Amino acid sequence: MTPPAGARSGHAVQVRYAEVTSAPLDLAAHEAAVADPRAGAVVSFQGVVRDHDHGRTVVSLEYEGHPSAADVLREVADELAADPDVYAVAVSHRIGPLAIGDAALVAAVSTAHRAAAFAACARLVDEVKARLPIWKHQVFADGTEEWVNCP
């Protein structure tokens, strides 16, 4: 994981990771990356590939990303890092073929208090899901397939 620039003068928040990668994601590494002696809370999220979608059995899944995906992810992380309650942010999304149970999205946020950390992590995940130009191709047990979040 390559940490992008994120520290700002007057605001000690850092974006520790904001990465789109084909490598497996490590939740513990994201949590460790946002560790901060001022933090009383670290909240993390791991979105994993499930074996079903809308009542159909998923047999394979692949994420494909637009070339701008890494820049968009960094932009979202930087925006969250501008929140004065947030001390550090780490977020990654995986692309390529994934197996059932693999982590597709991992995020971690540290703050002084738990309520702020839960809220910040939820905002981060929601913004990533809404804005990141990454599309999911699912193949189902019945041989049908679909693209999700495709423009």
Side-chain angles (χ1 to χ4, degrees):
M1 289 184 251
T2 305
R8 284 184 275 295
S9 62
H11 189 57
V13 168
Q14 289 189 343
V15 175
R16 306 280 170 82
Y17 297 119
E19 183 175 58
V20 174
T21 181
S22 59
L25 302 180
D26 183 347
L27 180 63
H30 284 69
E31 291 169 339
V34 300
D36 187 296
R38 301 169 297 163
V42 171
V43 170
S44 59
F45 171 82
Q46 180 171 253
V48 298
V49 176
R50 62 184 179 268
D51 67 356
H52 66 280
D53 193 20
H54 299 291
R56 297 186 287 174
T57 301
V58 174
V59 295
S60 71
L61 181 142
E62 184 169 354
Y63 283 98
E64 187 172 317
H66 186 272
S68 67
D71 292 335
V72 172
L73 189 62
R74 279 191 288 276
E75 182 179 289
V76 169
D78 283 340
E79 288 172 11
L80 186 78
D83 181 333
D85 289 336
V86 174
Y87 294 147
V89 176
V91 60
S92 298
H93 200 296
R94 193 157 167 210
I95 55 173
L98 279 74
I100 304 303
D102 282 351
L105 171 62
V106 171
V109 175
S110 62
T111 68
H113 303 286
R114 72 178 177 275
F118 278 112
C121 193
R123 274 195 333 269
L124 176 61
V125 170
D126 289 346
E127 283 298 309
V128 167
K129 297 292 284 177
R131 294 171 44 190
L132 196 62
I134 289 181
W135 305 281
K136 179 170 59 173
H137 180 226
Q138 300 183 112
V139 177
F140 299 100
D142 65 5
T144 62
E145 58 186 65
E146 75 176 351
W147 284 90
V148 180
N149 297 330
C150 244

